Amino acid sequence: MPADAVAKWEEFLRSRYWDEILKLADTYPDERSLRIQFSDLDKFDPDFAEELMERPEETLEAARTAMLELDLPMDVYLDRAHVRIAELPRHFKTRELRSDHIGKLLAIDGLVRTATEVRPKIVSAAFQCQRCGFTFFKEQSGTKFEDQNLKCMNQACDRGGPFKLILSQSKFVDAQKIRVQESPEDLRGGQQPQTLDVELEDDLVGRIFPGDRVVVNGVLKSYQRTNPQQGKSTYFDLFHKGVSVEMKDQEFEEIEISPEDEEAILEMSRDPEIYEKIKDSIAPSIYGYDDVKEALGLQLVSGFEKHLPDGARIRGDIHILLVGDPGIAKSQLLRYMVKLSPRGIYTSGKSSTSAGLTATAVKDELGDGRWTIEAGALVLADKGIAAIDEMDKMNNEDKSALHEAMEQQTISVAKAGVMATLKSRCSLLAAANPKLGRFDKYEPIAPQINLTPALMSRFDLIFVLTDDPDTKRDSAIAQHILKSNYAGELSTQKPWNPEISQEDIDNALTVIEPAIDPEMLRKYVAYARKNVFPTLTDESKEYFLNYYVGLRTQGQDSNKPVPVTARQLEALIRLGEASARLRLSHKVTLDDAQRVVRILEACLRKVGVDPETGFLDADIIASGTTKSTRDRTKSVMDIIRDVSREEQGPASREEVLDRAVGLGIERSKAEEIIDRLRRDGDVFEPRPGMLKLP
């Protein structure tokens, strides 16, 4: 190790990082890492910084030696301290790595796919000679344990064994392997994400979990492939020896907020237009949808989970379903929300399986080949937003995997002898198209959505977006789209067209300029989720109570449907908490209650109304059948039973239809009911035109 490198490190540490070293000495050995910004080293000596990038192992060993030789004012010996280099200028994707990069210090961006358990790794093995009893140490630097061709260090002995490994005197360090996958948003169409294995040691372990987006700074290394049949291969595999890890996307609660940010956030919260500004900051390139964007703003902050004394848990996350005609920007809304959320995961229904959404059991290639659980999209989006597009195209068995994830917010797995319960505390934002491609305005909406009633009932808000021609609205949308495209054209032409000024671009961009900068909005939401836990005021409680009980009263008449269930009341409470959080208030006021009732009422009036009676009917969502349809079905089955008894055999279909018409049931409706009963197996046809109950 060059002495000048050690001296250079000592000079740098004393001049630039002395205060940090003293803080480290105070907390040592609980904290053992000195984090150094690469830019500081580059300003100190660019040539030395370049040498660190090109010959990292020797240079970092010199840094460690310099740390040991520092004369500290307190009696602390930093023998286990590490120098961690952060914020390297060289960032690579896994697919960009080449043989020239081996042995160099570089940064890898990506998403943590799997992580092994933390296990001790031997770094210095103590061997005892069985002939003379002398104990000596052998450093273990590679991945393979070195215990061959040893010689006793006792000069009087100098024999080749036998030796015994003394575990009590050997030196171990905590170790963990993680697999980093390229981030989905960095891939071009058709590319499969590549992965790279990363080795972490000591105080870096146990802090990273699947789903974290990270930048791993470290030394790229290689090892030779081996095959039992062909022996050693000429091909080598790459792995990354981690020096430091930077969290790229934290949870909302982990986003750092400076005192200046906090002051700006509190100032924003006092703005009476805060709801409008947040609404205008969500997907500003999409025209309209004020009620949807208002609900998405509430979903960003959500309510908060509560743990009851009996151990029960009430979720705080808000689930939203957007159902609408094609081409009305549902997917763009989903993608924008995923960008705003720190842990946003976007997936499309047809290309997602239940294993990909929840979790699957895989052979652990990183560890010792045991079965382990690999997290799916909903687990990776824990404490964020999971967006599922084209949800209606998913297979039914894949949809059923969402039930537990949405309500209990856990995913239970029992596969290959591995039983585990994973957390999926995320808000679900889903989009779906009607069964026949476009809504039929003359039919009930709920049966047109290809989702099971059990799944639909778990959404707090269901928005139905129809594409109805309207000259005034269509003109406004067209102008918005044309202005957005014009702004994009100017931005694209700017580098090579000198006639375009930045002022022209800024003027064109005003149409799609968010009211609040996306980064500031993330900090605002993070502050709200971390510090604001509102409670219901007496006025809001009474308002929710009166609204809920008032609707339920409609269903007390046996001839009328049940309008709403307790799930809608829980949704109102969550939405009310979110409304208060958006303005950083610790009280859910009457205004909040009225706002969220208006949003929920608008959704219920679109989805939960029986078009024949005009009454709210909770069964449309909960069971997929309205009360009026159930009553007619019961009447038709009674008619079949009566006719069969009179004719002492199967009932004539025509006779059943005639009697149904006599009871006021339309003939076409009666035929639909009979066809449905036949499909469900409640009625069968022993011969054409004859009906019989089983």
Side-chain angles (χ1 to χ4, degrees):
M1 185 189 314
D4 58 338
V6 177
K8 184 75 77 173
W9 272 113
E10 276 199 53
E11 183 187 350
F12 170 72
L13 293 173
R14 286 184 181 279
S15 62
R16 300 293 178 96
Y17 278 84
W18 188 245
D19 290 342
E20 286 81 355
I21 290 170
L22 293 180
K23 287 179 187 173
L24 178 67
D26 281 339
T27 56
Y28 186 83
D30 296 330
E31 292 290 332
R32 297 192 294 280
S33 289
L34 177 66
R35 190 181 176 86
I36 289 177
Q37 306 291 327
F38 180 83
S39 56
D40 291 341
L41 192 64
D42 195 35
K43 290 172 190 169
F44 172 74
D45 189 333
D47 294 335
F48 190 54
E50 186 62 30
E51 186 179 356
L52 171 66
M53 301 288 281
E54 294 299 315
R55 300 167 58 201
E57 292 189 283
E58 294 176 27
T59 313
L60 287 171
E61 187 59 34
R64 191 166 178 278
T65 304
M67 286 276 284
L68 294 174
E69 293 179 1
L70 286 174
D71 188 16
L72 296 171
M74 61 275 288
D75 187 19
V76 176
Y77 184 55
L78 303 175
D79 58 325
R80 294 176 61 197
H82 304 279
V83 174
R84 306 281 186 203
I85 310 295
E87 298 187 14
L88 295 178
R90 297 181 190 170
H91 281 237
F92 291 89
K93 297 178 189 173
T94 305
R95 66 182 65 247
E96 295 170 347
L97 297 175
R98 299 293 181 264
S99 55
D100 293 343
H101 297 134
I102 295 173
K104 305 290 194 296
L105 186 66
L106 47 86
I108 297 292
D109 291 5
L111 179 78
V112 178
R113 191 69 198 158
T114 54
T116 64
E117 299 168 348
V118 178
R119 287 284 179 265
K121 174 187 174 185
I122 194 165
V123 290
S124 180
F127 290 99
Q128 186 180 64
C129 178
Q130 297 297 286
R131 294 183 184 274
C132 68
F134 184 76
T135 300
F136 62 95
F137 294 88
K138 172 71 175 172
E139 298 298 316
Q140 305 289 329
S141 56
T143 54
K144 188 178 178 183
F145 185 64
E146 297 178 26
D147 61 347
Q148 303 296 318
N149 303 320
L150 297 176
K151 275 200 170 186
C152 182
M153 298 289 187
N154 185 357
Q155 293 181 354
C157 177
D158 196 30
R159 297 192 185 182
F163 301 106
K164 181 183 178 183
L165 177 65
I166 310 297
L167 292 177
S168 59
Q169 295 183 41
S170 299
K171 186 181 176 185
F172 291 86
V173 68
D174 292 326
Q176 184 183 29
K177 287 184 182 179
I178 62 171
R179 179 162 288 167
V180 177
Q181 174 185 296
E182 290 177 306
S183 298
E185 58 269 20
D186 293 338
L187 301 175
R188 293 204 304 268
Q191 287 184 331
Q192 185 173 341
Q194 295 186 11
T195 58
L196 182 69
D197 294 346
V198 178
E199 289 187 1
L200 302 176
E201 289 184 1
D202 205 16
D203 55 347
L204 292 180
V205 305
R207 299 185 177 188
I208 297 173
F209 303 96
D212 289 341
R213 290 171 189 266
V214 295
V215 176
V216 183
N217 306 298
V219 183
L220 190 67
K221 294 193 169 188
S222 64
Y223 63 93
Q224 193 170 17
R225 294 182 188 175
T226 56
N227 189 304
Q229 285 80 30
Q230 300 172 351
K232 292 182 178 179
S233 169
T234 54
Y235 285 91
F236 281 64
D237 275 331
L238 296 173
F239 72 96
H240 207 45
K241 184 81 172 175
V243 171
S244 68
V245 178
E246 301 165 34
M247 299 301 290
K248 195 174 175 185
D249 272 341
Q250 307 108 319
E251 300 167 4
F252 273 123
E253 287 81 355
E254 294 172 355
I255 292 176
E256 289 186 13
I257 296 170
S258 66
E260 295 79 21
D261 291 333
E262 185 174 353
E263 194 175 322
I265 287 166
L266 294 172
E267 182 64 34
M268 284 167 59
S269 71
R270 290 189 281 270
D271 187 346
E273 299 288 314
I274 185 64
Y275 288 102
E276 291 297 321
K277 287 186 176 178
I278 288 177
K279 190 165 57 178
D280 293 341
S281 302
I282 295 174
S285 60
I286 299 169
Y287 180 83
Y289 299 135
D290 287 349
D291 53 345
V292 177
K293 290 182 180 180
E294 190 172 357
L296 293 178
L298 296 177
Q299 187 183 38
L300 274 176
V301 291
S302 286
F304 53 95
E305 66 176 89
K306 304 167 194 77
H307 297 274
L308 305 184
D310 63 352
R313 175 185 174 277
I314 300 174
R315 70 174 163 93
D317 294 299
I318 294 168
H319 302 316
I320 296 177
L321 173 64
L322 308 178
V323 191
D325 295 331
I328 56 173
K330 298 189 299 295
S331 300
Q332 276 182 274
L333 281 170
L334 264 63
R335 286 193 178 276
Y336 199 90
M337 287 293 285
V338 164
K339 282 183 184 175
L340 279 180
S341 176
R343 277 192 160 191
I345 298 284
Y346 176 91
T347 180
S348 185
K350 191 65 180 173
S351 57
S352 302
T353 62
S354 57
L357 283 173
T358 54
T360 184
V362 294
K363 274 288 181 81
D364 181 14
E365 298 169 11
L366 286 174
D368 51 9
R370 290 183 297 176
W371 286 94
T372 59
I373 298 296
E374 192 166 283
L378 293 175
V379 180
L380 296 180
D382 185 37
K383 293 197 175 177
I385 289 179
I388 304 179
D389 204 356
E390 306 284 350
M391 195 176 186
D392 54 305
K393 310 291 191 304
M394 290 171 65
N395 296 328
N396 287 333
E397 56 269 24
D398 295 335
K399 287 179 199 166
S400 65
L402 297 172
H403 291 174
E404 181 193 357
M406 288 181 71
E407 200 59 47
Q408 280 73 43
Q409 294 196 299
T410 57
I411 288 167
S412 302
V413 182
K415 295 179 180 179
V418 179
M419 276 159 275
T421 299
L422 308 175
K423 288 183 169 65
S424 63
R425 296 160 297 181
C426 61
S427 298
L428 189 67
L429 177 58
N433 289 329
K435 282 182 189 176
L436 302 175
R438 195 172 280 273
F439 276 116
D440 182 351
K441 63 176 72 173
Y442 302 108
E443 288 293 323
I445 284 175
Q448 297 185 60
I449 304 169
N450 188 27
L451 296 174
T452 60
L455 194 58
M456 280 180 63
S457 68
R458 282 171 165 77
F459 285 100
D460 298 296
L461 296 171
I462 301 174
F463 286 97
V464 174
L465 311 173
T466 53
D467 185 14
D468 300 319
D470 180 315
T471 306
K472 187 177 178 182
R473 185 168 174 272
D474 290 344
S475 174
I477 291 173
Q479 286 180 14
H480 192 83
I481 291 171
L482 289 168
K483 286 177 183 173
S484 301
N485 276 272
Y486 177 63
E489 288 167 1
L490 290 183
S491 299
T492 307
Q493 292 177 27
K494 173 77 165 81
W496 53 268
N497 189 344
E499 294 180 8
I500 298 172
S501 68
Q502 188 60 44
E503 187 180 355
D504 294 334
I505 295 174
D506 292 340
N507 290 335
L509 284 172
T510 53
V511 69
I512 55 171
E513 197 72 34
I516 303 171
D517 178 70
E519 193 56 40
M520 193 63 205
L521 181 58
R522 281 161 65 112
K523 288 182 178 178
Y524 187 91
V525 171
Y527 185 87
R529 290 177 69 124
K530 188 176 181 180
N531 299 293
V532 182
F533 301 93
T535 55
L536 297 172
T537 60
D538 292 338
E539 293 85 0
S540 59
K541 280 182 192 173
E542 189 176 353
Y543 189 81
F544 284 149
L545 179 71
N546 292 339
Y547 175 73
Y548 177 70
V549 174
L551 285 179
R552 292 284 295 182
T553 306
Q554 297 175 14
Q556 289 181 1
D557 187 338
S558 60
N559 295 321
K560 290 185 179 177
V562 176
V564 289
T565 65
R567 270 191 172 155
Q568 276 76 43
L569 179 58
E570 287 192 347
L572 278 176
I573 295 169
R574 276 190 286 273
L575 291 164
E577 291 167 354
S579 178
R581 266 184 159 184
L582 265 188
R583 53 187 174 78
L584 305 187
S585 169
H586 292 279
K587 295 289 182 185
V588 180
T589 63
L590 183 60
D591 287 342
D592 294 317
Q594 290 171 340
R595 178 181 290 107
V596 299
V597 163
R598 173 178 54 77
I599 296 171
L600 183 68
E601 181 92 6
C603 293
L604 288 175
R605 292 288 169 200
K606 281 271 190 162
V607 182
V609 172
D610 184 346
E612 293 183 30
T613 62
F615 290 117
L616 281 174
D617 190 345
D619 292 342
I620 294 177
I621 297 172
S623 65
T625 309
T626 63
K627 183 178 187 303
S628 56
T629 304
R630 275 204 316 276
D631 291 344
R632 282 198 302 268
T633 303
K634 185 173 182 300
S635 299
V636 169
M637 292 183 75
D638 288 342
I639 292 169
I640 295 172
R641 190 176 291 108
D642 293 342
V643 175
S644 296
R645 194 181 299 117
E646 291 169 11
E647 296 183 1
Q648 296 184 349
S652 164
R653 184 184 179 111
E654 288 302 316
E655 177 66 21
V656 171
L657 289 172
D658 290 342
R659 292 198 186 186
V661 171
L663 288 176
I665 302 173
E666 292 178 29
R667 193 177 186 87
S668 60
K669 295 281 186 188
E671 286 181 338
E672 280 180 23
I673 290 168
I674 291 171
D675 291 340
R676 191 179 70 250
L677 288 170
R678 283 181 55 210
R679 281 196 307 272
D680 296 344
D682 295 324
V683 168
F684 64 96
E685 210 171 18
R687 56 183 185 274
M690 306 302 288
L691 303 171
K692 187 178 180 182
L693 294 172

